[in-house]
Amino acid sequence: MMTRAMDYVADSLLRLTRSRHRPAVGQIGPEDVPIPAKQREVRFSDFENVARLQERGGLRKDNQENWCRLWRQNPALAVAKSQLSMGWVLETAQGIVGYQGSIPLLYQFGGRTLVAAVGTGLVIEPAYRARCIGLMASFYRQRGVDLFLLTFAAPSVVELSKALHATALNQHCYDKKLFWVLDAHQFAKARAARAREKFALGSGMVAVGTFLGSSVLRADTLRRGPRGRLTNKFGVTEIEVKDIGDEFEALWQRKLTETPGLFADRSPASLRWHFTLPGSSSTVAVLCCHRFERLVGYAIVHHTIDRETGMRRSMLADILVEQDDTSMTETLLEAAYSNAVASGGHLFEVVGLPRHITQILMRWNPYVRRCPTDPLIYKTADEALARTLAAENAWYAGPFDGDATLMP
């Protein structure tokens, strides 16, 4: 088994190496030979160097206040039995050339509190790509961690994770992104701009493409989205993240007694920490559903602006409903869609979430885009947990898992 795994790793690294541009024989200078690099754990003082590396690698820019939130104010730190790592870096005499972050999160499973580690921000200079396996192996070897997970990683990273015995989540439709176009003109404009870059089109062609695309989209979007007039059947109200309080705790505790399975911790403290994004242009809407003055469900919508296209994206970041009541779930989904429209969003997106939620959304005739690789990869040494997670609906998984809604 170990031999097959290492062969798999070798094949993956070979494909990775072949994909890189190499100078012709006789044209390799001293600057092309990598400086020796050592691997060590991340220190908080590494922020500036890691941030510069991430910018060079094309990743979104983080800020020091967010680092403090993730690794000093994290609720998981009070629960962990040993000191948890922030991640690992590759360092040369000239600076940091590789980084793999590790964010601790809390989970609930069968009355137990588990500590999970979420891989984040993996970036490595091209000359050191073969060292990626060392960073990832260190991530998966952490002590004091019950569950490891990566979300929306590059295909090569997913391959290496599987070689290190990680497993793809077995959840219906998790590899598909559902979305609705809320602003046909802006969506068509962004698509035309991308085509201009790819095919070197002139501005006139882009303008024509935007006009034709938006005209077709406007007609097509009429048959998509919630059916009929959106109504507030159960008194949905909106609050700020800081106002998440005791009624959320009561709902959370009731939810834990309904169905056995794995849930990311949704206590008020964890929710407030998760959705407070310092130094971010993103905004968050918390939609609450009440029945007889008792909170019976909520939905959280995350509004972001795509830095490359300028598209305003609204994503359903989390939804939790008592007893998975269909009427209340549909009401909250409609409220989330309405919130996206009211915010001026160009797209409303949903990824992951259990089958009973996606079944409602599929009736809204969404556009569907398949992810290029498995969106969630996990690993655990807990045999009972591993057996449980092999079942389709054992994990209430969605964007709340991983780092998709954690970063500014």
Coordinates of all heavy atoms in Angstrom, one line a residue, residues 294-382:
R294 N -40.0 32.1 18.7 CA -38.8 31.2 18.9 C -38.0 31.1 17.6 O -38.6 30.8 16.6 CB -39.3 29.9 19.4 CG -38.1 29.0 19.9 CD -38.5 27.7 20.5 NE -38.9 26.7 19.4 CZ -39.1 25.4 19.7 NH1 -39.0 24.9 20.9 NH2 -39.4 24.6 18.7
L295 N -36.7 31.2 17.7 CA -35.9 31.1 16.5 C -35.9 29.6 16.1 O -35.5 28.7 16.9 CB -34.4 31.5 16.8 CG -33.5 31.4 15.6 CD1 -33.8 32.4 14.6 CD2 -32.0 31.6 16.1
V296 N -36.3 29.3 14.9 CA -36.4 28.0 14.4 C -35.5 27.7 13.2 O -35.4 26.6 12.6 CB -37.9 27.6 14.0 CG1 -38.7 27.5 15.3 CG2 -38.4 28.6 13.0
G297 N -34.8 28.8 12.7 CA -33.9 28.6 11.6 C -33.2 29.9 11.3 O -33.7 31.0 11.6
Y298 N -32.1 29.8 10.6 CA -31.4 31.0 10.1 C -30.7 30.7 8.8 O -30.4 29.5 8.5 CB -30.4 31.5 11.2 CG -29.2 30.7 11.4 CD1 -28.1 30.7 10.5 CD2 -29.1 29.8 12.5 CE1 -27.0 29.9 10.7 CE2 -28.0 28.9 12.6 CZ -27.0 29.0 11.8 OH -25.9 28.2 11.9
A299 N -30.4 31.7 8.1 CA -29.5 31.6 6.9 C -28.6 32.8 6.9 O -28.9 33.9 7.3 CB -30.4 31.7 5.6
I300 N -27.3 32.6 6.4 CA -26.3 33.6 6.4 C -25.8 33.7 5.0 O -25.5 32.8 4.3 CB -25.2 33.3 7.3 CG1 -25.7 33.2 8.8 CG2 -24.0 34.3 7.2 CD1 -24.6 32.8 9.8
V301 N -25.9 35.0 4.5 CA -25.5 35.3 3.1 C -24.2 36.1 3.1 O -24.1 37.1 3.8 CB -26.6 36.1 2.4 CG1 -26.2 36.2 0.9 CG2 -27.9 35.3 2.5
H302 N -23.2 35.7 2.4 CA -21.9 36.3 2.3 C -21.8 37.1 1.0 O -21.8 36.5 -0.1 CB -20.9 35.2 2.4 CG -19.5 35.7 2.6 ND1 -18.4 35.1 2.0 CD2 -19.0 36.8 3.2 CE1 -17.3 35.8 2.3 NE2 -17.6 36.8 3.0
H303 N -21.6 38.4 1.0 CA -21.5 39.2 -0.2 C -20.1 39.6 -0.4 O -19.5 40.2 0.5 CB -22.4 40.5 0.0 CG -23.8 40.3 0.3 ND1 -24.7 39.7 -0.6 CD2 -24.5 40.5 1.4 CE1 -25.9 39.6 0.0 NE2 -25.8 40.1 1.2
T304 N -19.6 39.3 -1.6 CA -18.2 39.6 -1.9 C -18.1 40.3 -3.3 O -19.0 40.2 -4.1 CB -17.3 38.4 -1.9 OG1 -17.8 37.4 -2.9 CG2 -17.3 37.7 -0.5
I305 N -17.0 40.9 -3.6 CA -16.7 41.4 -4.9 C -15.5 40.7 -5.5 O -14.4 40.7 -4.9 CB -16.4 42.9 -4.8 CG1 -17.6 43.7 -4.2 CG2 -16.1 43.5 -6.2 CD1 -17.4 45.2 -4.1
D306 N -15.7 40.1 -6.6 CA -14.6 39.4 -7.3 C -13.5 40.4 -7.8 O -13.8 41.3 -8.5 CB -15.1 38.6 -8.5 CG -14.1 37.7 -9.1 OD1 -13.1 38.2 -9.6 OD2 -14.3 36.4 -9.1
R307 N -12.3 40.2 -7.3 CA -11.3 41.2 -7.5 C -10.8 41.2 -9.0 O -10.3 42.3 -9.5 CB -10.0 40.9 -6.7 CG -9.4 39.6 -6.9 CD -8.2 39.4 -6.1 NE -7.5 38.1 -6.4 CZ -6.3 37.8 -5.9 NH1 -5.7 38.6 -5.2 NH2 -5.8 36.6 -6.2
E308 N -11.0 40.1 -9.8 CA -10.6 40.1 -11.2 C -11.7 40.7 -12.1 O -11.4 41.4 -13.0 CB -10.3 38.7 -11.6 CG -9.1 38.1 -10.8 CD -8.7 36.7 -11.3 OE1 -9.5 36.2 -12.1 OE2 -7.7 36.2 -10.8
T309 N -13.0 40.3 -11.8 CA -14.0 40.7 -12.7 C -14.9 41.9 -12.2 O -15.6 42.5 -13.0 CB -15.0 39.5 -13.0 OG1 -15.6 39.2 -11.8 CG2 -14.2 38.3 -13.5
G310 N -14.8 42.2 -10.9 CA -15.7 43.2 -10.3 C -17.1 42.7 -10.1 O -18.0 43.5 -9.7
M311 N -17.3 41.4 -10.3 CA -18.7 40.9 -10.1 C -19.0 40.9 -8.6 O -18.2 40.5 -7.8 CB -18.7 39.5 -10.6 CG -18.6 39.4 -12.1 SD -20.2 39.7 -13.0 CE -21.1 38.3 -12.5
R312 N -20.2 41.3 -8.3 CA -20.7 41.2 -6.9 C -21.4 39.8 -6.7 O -22.5 39.6 -7.3 CB -21.6 42.3 -6.6 CG -20.9 43.7 -6.5 CD -21.7 44.7 -5.8 NE -22.9 45.1 -6.6 CZ -22.9 46.1 -7.5 NH1 -21.8 46.8 -7.7 NH2 -24.0 46.4 -8.1
R313 N -20.8 39.0 -5.9 CA -21.3 37.6 -5.7 C -21.9 37.5 -4.3 O -21.3 37.9 -3.3 CB -20.2 36.6 -5.8 CG -19.5 36.6 -7.2 CD -18.2 35.7 -7.1 NE -17.6 35.7 -8.4 CZ -17.8 34.8 -9.4 NH1 -18.8 33.9 -9.2 NH2 -17.2 34.9 -10.5
S314 N -23.1 36.9 -4.2 CA -23.8 36.6 -3.0 C -23.8 35.1 -2.8 O -24.4 34.4 -3.7 CB -25.2 37.2 -2.9 OG -25.1 38.7 -3.0
M315 N -23.3 34.6 -1.7 CA -23.2 33.2 -1.5 C -24.0 32.8 -0.3 O -23.8 33.5 0.7 CB -21.8 32.7 -1.4 CG -21.6 31.2 -1.2 SD -19.9 30.6 -1.3 CE -19.2 31.4 0.1
L316 N -24.7 31.7 -0.3 CA -25.4 31.2 0.8 C -24.3 30.5 1.7 O -23.8 29.4 1.4 CB -26.5 30.2 0.5 CG -27.2 29.6 1.6 CD1 -28.0 30.6 2.4 CD2 -28.2 28.5 1.1
A317 N -23.8 31.2 2.7 CA -22.7 30.7 3.5 C -23.1 29.6 4.5 O -22.3 28.7 4.9 CB -22.0 31.8 4.2
D318 N -24.3 29.7 5.0 CA -24.8 28.7 6.0 C -26.3 28.8 6.1 O -26.9 29.8 5.9 CB -24.1 28.9 7.4 CG -24.3 27.7 8.3 OD1 -24.5 26.6 7.8 OD2 -24.3 28.0 9.5
I319 N -26.9 27.6 6.4 CA -28.4 27.6 6.7 C -28.6 26.4 7.7 O -28.0 25.4 7.5 CB -29.2 27.4 5.4 CG1 -30.7 27.4 5.8 CG2 -28.8 26.2 4.6 CD1 -31.6 27.5 4.5
L320 N -29.4 26.7 8.7 CA -29.7 25.7 9.7 C -31.2 25.8 10.1 O -31.6 26.9 10.5 CB -28.8 25.8 10.9 CG -28.7 24.6 11.9 CD1 -27.9 23.5 11.2 CD2 -28.1 25.0 13.2
V321 N -32.0 24.8 10.0 CA -33.4 24.8 10.3 C -33.8 23.7 11.2 O -33.4 22.5 11.0 CB -34.2 24.7 9.0 CG1 -35.7 24.7 9.3 CG2 -33.9 25.9 8.1
E322 N -34.6 24.0 12.2 CA -35.0 22.9 13.2 C -35.8 21.9 12.4 O -36.7 22.1 11.6 CB -35.9 23.6 14.2 CG -36.3 22.7 15.4 CD -36.9 23.4 16.5 OE1 -36.9 24.6 16.5 OE2 -37.5 22.7 17.4
Q323 N -35.5 20.6 12.7 CA -36.1 19.4 12.1 C -36.1 19.4 10.6 O -36.9 18.7 9.9 CB -37.6 19.3 12.6 CG -37.8 19.2 14.1 CD -37.2 17.8 14.6 OE1 -37.2 16.8 13.8 NE2 -36.8 17.7 15.8
D324 N -35.2 20.2 10.0 CA -35.1 20.3 8.5 C -36.5 20.6 7.9 O -36.8 20.1 6.8 CB -34.5 19.1 7.9 CG -33.1 18.9 8.4 OD1 -32.4 19.9 8.7 OD2 -32.7 17.7 8.4
D325 N -37.3 21.4 8.6 CA -38.7 21.7 8.1 C -38.6 22.3 6.7 O -38.0 23.3 6.4 CB -39.4 22.7 9.0 CG -40.8 23.0 8.6 OD1 -41.0 23.9 7.8 OD2 -41.7 22.3 9.1
T326 N -39.3 21.7 5.7 CA -39.3 22.1 4.3 C -39.8 23.5 4.1 O -39.2 24.3 3.4 CB -40.1 21.1 3.4 OG1 -39.5 19.8 3.6 CG2 -40.0 21.5 2.0
S327 N -40.9 23.8 4.7 CA -41.5 25.2 4.5 C -40.6 26.3 5.0 O -40.4 27.3 4.4 CB -42.9 25.3 5.2 OG -43.8 24.4 4.6
M328 N -40.0 26.0 6.2 CA -39.1 27.0 6.8 C -37.8 27.1 6.0 O -37.3 28.2 5.8 CB -38.9 26.7 8.3 CG -40.0 27.0 9.2 SD -39.6 26.8 10.9 CE -39.7 25.0 11.0
T329 N -37.3 26.0 5.5 CA -36.1 26.0 4.7 C -36.3 26.8 3.5 O -35.5 27.6 3.1 CB -35.7 24.5 4.4 OG1 -35.4 23.8 5.6 CG2 -34.5 24.5 3.5
E330 N -37.5 26.5 2.8 CA -37.8 27.2 1.5 C -37.9 28.7 1.8 O -37.5 29.6 1.0 CB -39.0 26.7 0.9 CG -39.3 27.2 -0.5 CD -40.2 26.3 -1.3 OE1 -40.9 25.5 -0.7 OE2 -40.2 26.5 -2.6
T331 N -38.6 29.1 2.9 CA -38.7 30.5 3.2 C -37.4 31.2 3.4 O -37.1 32.3 2.9 CB -39.6 30.7 4.5 OG1 -40.9 30.2 4.2 CG2 -39.6 32.1 5.0
L332 N -36.5 30.5 4.1 CA -35.1 31.1 4.3 C -34.3 31.2 3.0 O -33.6 32.2 2.8 CB -34.4 30.3 5.4 CG -34.7 30.6 6.8 CD1 -34.1 29.6 7.8 CD2 -34.2 32.0 7.2
L333 N -34.5 30.2 2.2 CA -33.8 30.2 0.9 C -34.3 31.4 0.0 O -33.5 32.1 -0.6 CB -34.0 28.9 0.1 CG -33.2 27.7 0.7 CD1 -33.7 26.4 0.0 CD2 -31.7 27.9 0.7
E334 N -35.6 31.6 0.0 CA -36.2 32.7 -0.7 C -35.7 34.0 -0.1 O -35.4 35.0 -0.8 CB -37.7 32.6 -0.6 CG -38.3 31.5 -1.4 CD -39.8 31.4 -1.2 OE1 -40.4 32.1 -0.4 OE2 -40.5 30.6 -1.9
A335 N -35.6 34.1 1.2 CA -35.1 35.3 1.9 C -33.7 35.6 1.5 O -33.3 36.7 1.3 CB -35.3 35.2 3.4
A336 N -32.9 34.5 1.4 CA -31.5 34.7 1.0 C -31.4 35.2 -0.4 O -30.5 36.1 -0.7 CB -30.7 33.4 1.2
Y337 N -32.2 34.7 -1.3 CA -32.2 35.1 -2.7 C -32.6 36.6 -2.7 O -32.0 37.4 -3.4 CB -33.2 34.2 -3.5 CG -33.2 34.5 -4.9 CD1 -32.5 33.7 -5.8 CD2 -34.0 35.5 -5.5 CE1 -32.5 33.9 -7.2 CE2 -34.1 35.7 -6.8 CZ -33.3 35.0 -7.7 OH -33.4 35.2 -9.1
S338 N -33.7 36.9 -2.0 CA -34.1 38.3 -2.0 C -33.1 39.3 -1.4 O -32.9 40.4 -1.9 CB -35.4 38.4 -1.1 OG -36.5 37.7 -1.7
N339 N -32.3 38.8 -0.4 CA -31.3 39.6 0.2 C -30.2 39.9 -0.9 O -29.6 40.9 -0.9 CB -30.7 38.9 1.4 CG -29.7 39.7 2.1 OD1 -28.5 39.6 1.9 ND2 -30.1 40.6 3.0
A340 N -29.9 38.8 -1.7 CA -28.8 39.0 -2.7 C -29.3 40.0 -3.7 O -28.5 40.9 -4.2 CB -28.6 37.6 -3.4
V341 N -30.5 40.0 -4.1 CA -31.1 41.0 -5.1 C -31.0 42.4 -4.5 O -30.6 43.3 -5.1 CB -32.5 40.6 -5.5 CG1 -33.1 41.7 -6.3 CG2 -32.6 39.3 -6.2
A342 N -31.5 42.5 -3.2 CA -31.5 43.8 -2.6 C -30.1 44.4 -2.4 O -30.0 45.6 -2.4 CB -32.2 43.7 -1.2
S343 N -29.1 43.5 -2.2 CA -27.7 44.0 -2.0 C -27.1 44.5 -3.3 O -26.0 45.1 -3.3 CB -26.9 42.9 -1.4 OG -26.6 41.9 -2.4
G344 N -27.8 44.3 -4.4 CA -27.2 44.7 -5.7 C -26.3 43.7 -6.3 O -25.4 43.9 -7.1
G345 N -26.4 42.4 -5.8 CA -25.6 41.3 -6.3 C -25.8 41.0 -7.7 O -26.9 41.2 -8.3
H346 N -24.8 40.6 -8.4 CA -24.9 40.1 -9.8 C -25.1 38.6 -9.9 O -25.7 38.2 -10.9 CB -23.6 40.5 -10.6 CG -23.2 41.9 -10.5 ND1 -22.0 42.4 -10.5 CD2 -24.1 43.0 -10.4 CE1 -22.0 43.7 -10.5 NE2 -23.2 44.1 -10.4
L347 N -24.7 37.9 -8.9 CA -24.9 36.4 -8.9 C -25.3 36.0 -7.5 O -24.9 36.6 -6.5 CB -23.6 35.7 -9.2 CG -23.0 35.6 -10.6 CD1 -21.7 34.9 -10.6 CD2 -24.0 34.9 -11.5
F348 N -26.2 35.0 -7.4 CA -26.5 34.3 -6.2 C -26.0 32.8 -6.3 O -26.4 32.1 -7.2 CB -28.0 34.3 -5.9 CG -28.3 33.6 -4.6 CD1 -27.8 34.0 -3.4 CD2 -29.3 32.5 -4.6 CE1 -28.2 33.3 -2.2 CE2 -29.6 31.9 -3.5 CZ -29.1 32.2 -2.3
E349 N -25.1 32.4 -5.4 CA -24.5 31.1 -5.5 C -24.8 30.2 -4.3 O -24.8 30.7 -3.2 CB -23.0 31.2 -5.7 CG -22.5 32.0 -6.9 CD -21.0 32.2 -6.9 OE1 -20.4 32.2 -5.9 OE2 -20.5 32.3 -8.1
V350 N -24.9 28.9 -4.6 CA -25.0 27.9 -3.5 C -24.1 26.7 -3.9 O -24.1 26.2 -5.0 CB -26.4 27.4 -3.4 CG1 -26.5 26.3 -2.3 CG2 -27.4 28.5 -3.1
V351 N -23.3 26.3 -2.9 CA -22.4 25.1 -3.1 C -22.5 24.2 -1.9 O -22.6 24.7 -0.8 CB -21.0 25.5 -3.4 CG1 -20.4 26.2 -2.2 CG2 -20.1 24.3 -3.8
G352 N -22.5 22.9 -2.2 CA -22.6 22.0 -1.1 C -24.0 21.9 -0.5 O -25.0 22.1 -1.2
L353 N -24.1 21.6 0.8 CA -25.3 21.5 1.6 C -26.1 20.2 1.3 O -26.0 19.6 0.3 CB -26.3 22.7 1.4 CG -25.7 24.1 1.7 CD1 -26.6 25.2 1.3 CD2 -25.3 24.2 3.2
P354 N -26.8 19.7 2.3 CA -27.4 18.4 2.2 C -28.5 18.3 1.1 O -29.0 19.3 0.6 CB -28.1 18.2 3.6 CG -27.3 19.1 4.5 CD -26.9 20.3 3.7
R355 N -28.9 17.1 0.8 CA -29.8 16.8 -0.3 C -31.1 17.5 -0.2 O -31.7 18.0 -1.2 CB -29.9 15.3 -0.5 CG -30.8 14.9 -1.7 CD -31.1 13.4 -1.6 NE -30.0 12.6 -1.9 CZ -29.7 12.1 -3.1 NH1 -30.5 12.3 -4.1 NH2 -28.6 11.3 -3.2
H356 N -31.7 17.6 1.1 CA -33.0 18.1 1.2 C -33.0 19.6 0.9 O -34.1 20.1 0.5 CB -33.5 17.9 2.6 CG -32.9 18.7 3.7 ND1 -31.7 18.3 4.3 CD2 -33.3 19.9 4.3 CE1 -31.4 19.3 5.2 NE2 -32.3 20.2 5.2
I357 N -31.9 20.3 1.0 CA -31.8 21.7 0.6 C -31.6 21.8 -0.9 O -32.3 22.7 -1.6 CB -30.7 22.4 1.4 CG1 -31.0 22.3 2.9 CG2 -30.5 23.8 0.9 CD1 -29.9 22.9 3.7
T358 N -30.7 21.1 -1.5 CA -30.5 21.2 -2.9 C -31.7 20.8 -3.7 O -31.9 21.3 -4.8 CB -29.2 20.4 -3.3 OG1 -29.4 19.0 -3.0 CG2 -28.0 20.9 -2.7
Q359 N -32.5 19.9 -3.2 CA -33.7 19.5 -3.9 C -34.7 20.7 -4.1 O -35.3 20.8 -5.1 CB -34.4 18.3 -3.2 CG -33.7 17.0 -3.4 CD -34.4 15.9 -2.6 OE1 -35.1 16.1 -1.6 NE2 -34.2 14.6 -3.0
I360 N -34.8 21.5 -3.1 CA -35.6 22.7 -3.2 C -35.0 23.6 -4.2 O -35.7 24.2 -5.1 CB -35.7 23.4 -1.8 CG1 -36.5 22.5 -0.8 CG2 -36.4 24.8 -2.0 CD1 -36.5 23.1 0.6
L361 N -33.7 23.8 -4.2 CA -33.0 24.8 -5.1 C -33.1 24.3 -6.5 O -33.2 25.1 -7.4 CB -31.6 25.0 -4.6 CG -31.4 25.7 -3.3 CD1 -30.0 25.5 -2.8 CD2 -31.8 27.1 -3.4
M362 N -33.0 23.0 -6.8 CA -33.1 22.5 -8.1 C -34.4 22.8 -8.8 O -34.5 22.9 -10.0 CB -32.8 21.0 -8.2 CG -31.4 20.6 -7.9 SD -30.1 21.4 -8.9 CE -30.5 20.7 -10.5
R363 N -35.5 23.0 -8.0 CA -36.8 23.4 -8.5 C -36.8 24.8 -9.0 O -37.7 25.2 -9.8 CB -37.9 23.2 -7.5 CG -38.1 21.8 -7.1 CD -39.5 21.5 -6.4 NE -39.6 22.3 -5.2 CZ -39.4 21.7 -4.0 NH1 -39.0 20.5 -3.9 NH2 -39.6 22.4 -2.9
W364 N -35.8 25.6 -8.6 CA -35.6 27.0 -9.1 C -34.9 27.0 -10.4 O -34.6 28.1 -10.9 CB -34.9 27.8 -8.1 CG -35.6 28.0 -6.7 CD1 -36.8 27.4 -6.4 CD2 -35.2 28.7 -5.6 NE1 -37.1 27.8 -5.1 CE2 -36.1 28.6 -4.6 CE3 -34.1 29.5 -5.4 CZ2 -36.0 29.2 -3.4 CZ3 -33.9 30.2 -4.2 CH2 -34.9 30.0 -3.2
N365 N -34.5 25.9 -11.0 CA -33.9 25.8 -12.3 C -32.6 26.6 -12.4 O -32.5 27.6 -13.2 CB -34.9 26.3 -13.4 CG -34.4 25.9 -14.8 OD1 -33.7 25.0 -15.0 ND2 -34.9 26.6 -15.8
P366 N -31.6 26.3 -11.5 CA -30.4 27.1 -11.5 C -29.5 26.8 -12.7 O -29.7 25.7 -13.3 CB -29.7 26.6 -10.2 CG -30.2 25.2 -10.1 CD -31.6 25.2 -10.6
Y367 N -28.5 27.6 -13.0 CA -27.4 27.2 -13.8 C -26.5 26.3 -12.9 O -26.4 26.5 -11.7 CB -26.6 28.4 -14.2 CG -27.3 29.4 -15.1 CD1 -27.9 30.6 -14.7 CD2 -27.5 29.1 -16.5 CE1 -28.6 31.4 -15.5 CE2 -28.2 29.9 -17.4 CZ -28.7 31.1 -16.9 OH -29.4 32.0 -17.7
V368 N -25.9 25.3 -13.5 CA -25.1 24.4 -12.8 C -23.7 24.3 -13.4 O -23.6 24.1 -14.6 CB -25.7 23.0 -12.8 CG1 -24.9 22.0 -12.0 CG2 -27.1 23.0 -12.2
R369 N -22.7 24.5 -12.5 CA -21.3 24.4 -13.0 C -20.6 23.3 -12.1 O -20.6 23.4 -10.9 CB -20.6 25.7 -12.9 CG -19.2 25.7 -13.4 CD -18.6 27.0 -13.6 NE -18.5 27.7 -12.3 CZ -18.8 29.0 -12.1 NH1 -19.3 29.7 -13.2 NH2 -18.7 29.6 -11.0
R370 N -20.0 22.3 -12.7 CA -19.3 21.3 -12.0 C -17.9 21.7 -11.6 O -17.2 22.3 -12.4 CB -19.3 20.0 -12.8 CG -18.7 18.8 -12.1 CD -18.7 17.5 -12.9 NE -20.0 17.1 -13.2 CZ -20.8 16.3 -12.4 NH1 -20.3 15.9 -11.3 NH2 -22.0 16.0 -12.7
C371 N -17.5 21.5 -10.4 CA -16.2 21.8 -9.9 C -15.2 21.0 -10.6 O -15.4 19.8 -10.9 CB -16.1 21.6 -8.4 SG -17.2 22.6 -7.4
P372 N -14.0 21.5 -10.9 CA -13.0 20.8 -11.7 C -12.4 19.6 -10.9 O -11.8 18.7 -11.5 CB -11.9 21.9 -11.9 CG -12.1 22.9 -10.9 CD -13.6 22.9 -10.6
T373 N -12.6 19.6 -9.6 CA -12.1 18.5 -8.8 C -12.9 18.4 -7.5 O -13.8 19.2 -7.3 CB -10.6 18.7 -8.4 OG1 -10.1 17.5 -7.8 CG2 -10.4 19.9 -7.5
D374 N -12.6 17.4 -6.7 CA -13.4 17.2 -5.4 C -13.3 18.5 -4.6 O -12.2 18.8 -4.1 CB -12.9 16.0 -4.7 CG -13.1 14.7 -5.5 OD1 -14.3 14.5 -5.9 OD2 -12.1 14.0 -5.7
P375 N -14.4 19.1 -4.2 CA -14.3 20.4 -3.5 C -13.9 20.2 -2.0 O -13.5 21.2 -1.4 CB -15.7 21.0 -3.6 CG -16.4 20.2 -4.7 CD -15.8 18.9 -4.7
L376 N -14.2 19.0 -1.4 CA -13.8 18.8 0.0 C -13.1 17.5 0.2 O -13.7 16.5 -0.2 CB -15.1 18.9 0.9 CG -14.8 19.0 2.4 CD1 -16.0 19.7 3.1 CD2 -14.6 17.7 3.1
I377 N -11.9 17.6 0.7 CA -11.1 16.4 1.0 C -10.9 16.3 2.5 O -10.6 17.4 3.1 CB -9.7 16.5 0.3 CG1 -9.9 16.7 -1.2 CG2 -8.9 15.3 0.6 CD1 -10.5 15.5 -1.9
Y378 N -11.0 15.2 3.1 CA -10.8 15.1 4.5 C -10.0 13.8 4.9 O -9.9 12.9 4.1 CB -12.2 15.0 5.2 CG -13.0 13.8 5.1 CD1 -12.8 12.7 5.9 CD2 -13.8 13.6 4.0 CE1 -13.5 11.5 5.8 CE2 -14.5 12.4 3.8 CZ -14.4 11.4 4.7 OH -15.1 10.2 4.5
K379 N -9.5 13.8 6.1 CA -8.8 12.7 6.6 C -9.0 12.6 8.1 O -9.0 13.7 8.8 CB -7.3 12.8 6.3 CG -6.4 11.6 6.8 CD -5.0 11.8 6.4 CE -4.1 10.7 6.9 NZ -2.7 10.9 6.5
T380 N -9.1 11.4 8.7 CA -9.2 11.2 10.1 C -8.6 9.9 10.5 O -8.8 8.9 9.8 CB -10.7 11.3 10.6 OG1 -10.7 11.1 12.0 CG2 -11.6 10.3 9.9
A381 N -8.0 9.9 11.7 CA -7.5 8.6 12.2 C -8.5 8.0 13.1 O -8.3 6.8 13.6 CB -6.2 8.9 13.0
D382 N -9.6 8.6 13.4 CA -10.7 8.1 14.2 C -11.5 7.1 13.4 O -12.3 7.5 12.5 CB -11.6 9.2 14.7 CG -12.7 8.8 15.7 OD1 -13.2 7.7 15.5 OD2 -12.9 9.5 16.7

